[in-house]
Amino acid sequence: MSLFRKETPTEHYPVEKPEAEWRRELPPEAFRVLREHGTERAGTSPLNAEKRPGTFVCAGCGHPLFDADTKFESGTGWPSFWAPKEAGVGTTTDRSFFMTRTEVHCARCGGHLGHVFPDGPPPTGQRFCMNGVAMRFQPKAG
């Protein structure tokens, strides 16, 4: 296992594509985060300021991940949520960088989204700290 990459899960996802296809479809920074488990620089995502009603979806496959009403300001510089949509995300153990964390990935394509921590607000006490480049925002219609 590399010290700088997450362990690759062995499970399969409903949406699977060859690496070359992901590279063609995703902007370079989104590819780096979603497919290579990278992290965007804190404070760089326009999704940090997104306050409208709607849904945050996976930038790789469009799968619904988080309702906007679960988003909160964590002060970390990354979009944060206290709960995902049902069947929106999965988790794996990330043992990179000499620590153990819980990695969050899209349940549909396996794309890396970020990590979840036990220091969020009620009602869950969870902080899903997500890379904005790994998501798109779909405003609520009307």
Side-chain angles (χ1 to χ4, degrees):
M1 174 183 76
S2 167
L3 297 176
F4 301 104
R5 291 194 59 184
K6 187 191 86 46
E7 294 178 28
T8 303
T10 56
E11 62 188 289
H12 294 280
Y13 298 97
V15 173
E16 293 185 344
K17 301 176 186 181
E19 181 178 335
E21 190 173 338
W22 285 118
R23 280 190 188 280
R24 279 192 308 275
E25 293 178 1
L26 297 170
E29 182 66 1
F31 179 85
R32 189 179 73 76
V33 170
L34 285 164
R35 308 315 310 169
E36 298 181 325
H37 305 278
T39 301
E40 70 186 354
R41 236 177 46 242
T44 60
S45 175
L47 295 184
N48 287 337
E50 185 57 66
K51 308 279 192 235
R52 296 174 292 171
T55 304
F56 292 83
V57 302
C58 177
C61 71
H63 186 62
L65 304 169
F66 299 94
D67 284 326
D69 61 359
T70 65
K71 188 173 184 278
F72 70 98
E73 180 50 59
S74 66
T76 62
W78 289 280
S80 297
F81 305 85
W82 51 263
K85 290 183 76 62
E86 188 172 335
V89 304
T91 61
T92 55
T93 301
D94 176 355
R95 291 188 176 90
S96 61
F97 297 107
F98 305 104
M99 65 181 98
T100 301
R101 301 177 290 175
T102 302
E103 186 246 348
V104 178
H105 59 267
C106 173
R108 188 166 174 235
C109 72
H112 171 75
L113 302 168
H115 293 86
V116 61
F117 303 95
D119 60 0
T124 65
Q126 305 252 328
R127 174 173 52 95
F128 287 80
C129 190
M130 303 293 98
N131 289 282
V133 72
M135 301 183 295
R136 290 189 324 264
F137 181 71
Q138 293 180 339
K140 185 175 180 178

